[in-house]
């Protein structure tokens, strides 16, 4: 079922968006060489508790997960693509880290992700990969116009990726957001403009392009959660929760 939110409900979702943005800003700043992924998870957990928010991840157990996630933030490093389960690993200078975080505030959910190179020691290839997912996200958001179709968003993302020389995996993509983290409609990261679900004011979705440097094939790690590139190439992920309004898309998780 696809729910359309009233203007008042969209206003009510904004605190969740601001909180998610705050956590990603804080954890991104904390992601320095020598910092353990479990410390990043603990920081996010403390922020959830202090804000009176709820984790969307800790008890999350979809069909593709081996068990409840058990942590509150996804930390995907280097060839880890999505759903990186925080574990006892100390970040190194030059690691490519993606942070994906969702939380519920006052009954409403927001979901967002960002990628960065730890210690700022980035290669041109890493910079291009991160820039491409960020550009794909921006173009997907710009295409989320009332009166359009879901395929407009998917096509904008896919065209951006292909133009930069990347292939696109379609097994995971964006999704509806509301009182739960994942809902309809699915937002594919490639597609044809003018096709798919009509984009109407009140639709709230997470748009989330993710790319791997050398492949579009993935596998699940032994932890039952972390998804990695099949060829070991590095990956990047970007995501925002947006609301489609009569005046166009509004980014609820903007980090400023």
């Amino acid at each position: 079922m696809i729910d359309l939110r009233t203007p008042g409900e969209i206003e009510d979702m904004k605190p969740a968006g601001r909180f998610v943005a705050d956590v990603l800003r804080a954890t991104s700043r904390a992601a320095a060489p020598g910092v353990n992924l479990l410390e990043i998870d603990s920081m996010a957990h403390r922020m959830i508790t202090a804000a009176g928010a709820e984790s969307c991840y800790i008890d999350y157990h979809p069909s593709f997960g081996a068990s409840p996630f058990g942590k509150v933030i996804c930390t995907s490093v280097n060839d880890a693509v999505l759903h990186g389960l925080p574990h006892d690993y100390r970040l190194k200078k030059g690691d490519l880290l993606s942070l994906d975080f969702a939380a519920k505030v006052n009954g409403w959910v927001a979901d967002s992700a960002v990628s960065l190179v730890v210690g700022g020691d980035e290669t041109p290839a890493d910079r291009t990969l991160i820039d491409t997912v960020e550009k794909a996200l921006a173009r997907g958001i710009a295409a989320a116009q009332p009166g359009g179709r879901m395929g407009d968003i998917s096509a904008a993302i896919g065209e951006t990726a292909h133009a930069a020389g990347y292939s696109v995996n379609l097994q995971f993509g964006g999704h509806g957001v509301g009182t739960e983290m994942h809902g309809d409609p699915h937002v594919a990261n490639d597609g044809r403009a003018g096709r798919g679900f009509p984009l109407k004011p009140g639709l709230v979705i997470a748009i989330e392009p993710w790319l791997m440097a050398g492949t579009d094939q993935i596998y699940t790690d032994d932890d039952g959660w972390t998804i990695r590139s099949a060829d070991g190439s590095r990956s990047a992920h970007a995501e925002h929760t947006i609301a489609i309004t009569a005046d166009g898309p509004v980014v609820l998780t903007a980090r400023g």
Side-chain angles (χ1 to χ4, degrees), residues 5-147:
R5 305 299 174 185
T6 66
E9 288 175 326
I10 291 172
E11 284 297 315
D12 290 342
M13 297 182 81
K14 289 182 177 179
R18 289 193 293 269
F19 174 68
V20 166
D22 288 346
V23 171
L24 284 179
R25 271 194 298 266
T27 51
S28 294
R29 287 195 298 265
V35 172
N36 197 301
L37 297 180
L38 295 175
E39 293 176 296
I40 292 175
D41 183 71
S42 293
M43 170 185 280
H45 208 154
R46 289 194 300 272
M47 292 182 74
I48 288 170
T49 300
E54 299 176 48
S55 170
C56 291
Y57 290 166
I58 197 161
D59 295 322
Y60 185 52
H61 189 187
S63 59
F64 58 80
S67 60
F69 191 70
K71 305 297 181 183
V72 301
I73 191 169
C74 295
T75 54
S76 301
V77 181
N78 296 332
D79 65 323
V81 184
L82 297 170
H83 311 153
L85 185 64
H87 59 285
D88 185 13
Y89 174 80
R90 292 196 177 277
L91 291 167
K92 300 178 177 64
K93 187 175 184 181
D95 279 344
L96 203 169
L97 172 67
S98 297
L99 298 169
D100 187 358
F101 180 72
K104 183 181 288 189
V105 176
N106 299 328
W108 295 103
V109 170
D111 190 2
S112 187
V114 64
S115 294
L116 59 107
V117 175
V118 176
D121 189 18
E122 61 187 21
T123 65
D126 285 343
R127 185 70 262 160
T128 298
L129 183 61
I130 293 171
D131 284 348
T132 300
V133 293
E134 290 178 348
K135 185 182 294 184
L137 176 59
R139 289 181 175 171
I141 292 169
Q145 298 293 334

Side-chain angles (χ1 to χ4, degrees), residues 136-155:
L137 176 59
R139 289 181 175 171
I141 292 169
Q145 298 293 334
R149 296 274 179 171
M150 190 63 70
D152 301 344
I153 300 172
S154 300

